[in-house]
Amino acid sequence: MQAASRLFGQLAEDAEFLGEVEAVARRWLASLDAGGQILLAGNGGSAADAQHIAAEIVCRYRVVRPGAAAVALTTDTSVLTAIANDFGYEHVFARQVEALGRPGDVLVGFTTSGESPNVLRALETAGRQGLTTVALTGARGLPAGPTVDHLLAVPDAATARVQEVHGIIGHLLCAVVEDALVARAQGGAAP
């Protein structure tokens, strides 16, 4: 509990990190405003994070408001198993990005290690296709190869701590998006 509390406090005081979270929220809103979508991918607990945040965007986070487009690329077992069987597991998200992603969409890749081959391939594919790329990782960040538009690297190596912060980041992003969608539905300006 103390380790988590220290980490949360550290990030709450990190203006650069919070600024990057705000930048990601603006990219999400820009995509949704243009008729785009948020695609999310991850493995294991990070797959659950992707599904959780997609549900918050599509359904609601705190209040009833117009729905927004988000897809967790972790949920269609027929697609996942077909791609894994025909192309290899490292392609399960990239192939979906290739099929579903459009310029202006956003891909969010959750990888606590920063080294998940299927998430890295998806981020590379998304970048080539003109999607905004966002990686949520642990302290190691990403390997030298892939570049992303936004990197939110949690400064901790413990998977549990990283995933806890990823959940908080996801909720912060959902709150910003929802506030804007509610304001727009009520005829006001977005926050």
Side-chain angles (χ1 to χ4, degrees), residues 108-190:
V108 180
F110 293 86
T111 169
T112 58
S113 69
E115 298 176 358
S116 302
N118 56 2
V119 173
L120 297 178
R121 281 185 187 262
L123 289 165
E124 291 170 356
T125 299
R128 283 194 307 272
Q129 286 189 205
L131 282 72
T132 295
T133 53
V134 180
L136 279 76
T137 72
R140 290 186 291 192
L142 294 174
T147 59
V148 294
D149 297 304
H150 301 280
L151 174 62
L152 295 170
V154 176
D156 202 290
T159 298
R161 296 296 82 75
V162 172
Q163 288 178 334
E164 289 162 356
V165 174
H166 285 179
I168 290 171
I169 292 167
H171 279 170
L172 289 171
L173 293 167
C174 289
V176 171
V177 167
E178 188 162 271
D179 288 348
L181 293 174
V182 168
R184 291 172 183 154
Q186 295 171 348

Side-chain angles (χ1 to χ4, degrees), residues 40-53 72 74-75 93 110 163:
L40 303 103
N43 298 290
S46 295
D49 289 338
Q51 290 169 215
H52 175 180
I53 299 308
T74 57
T75 58
F93 301 134
F110 293 86
Q163 288 178 334

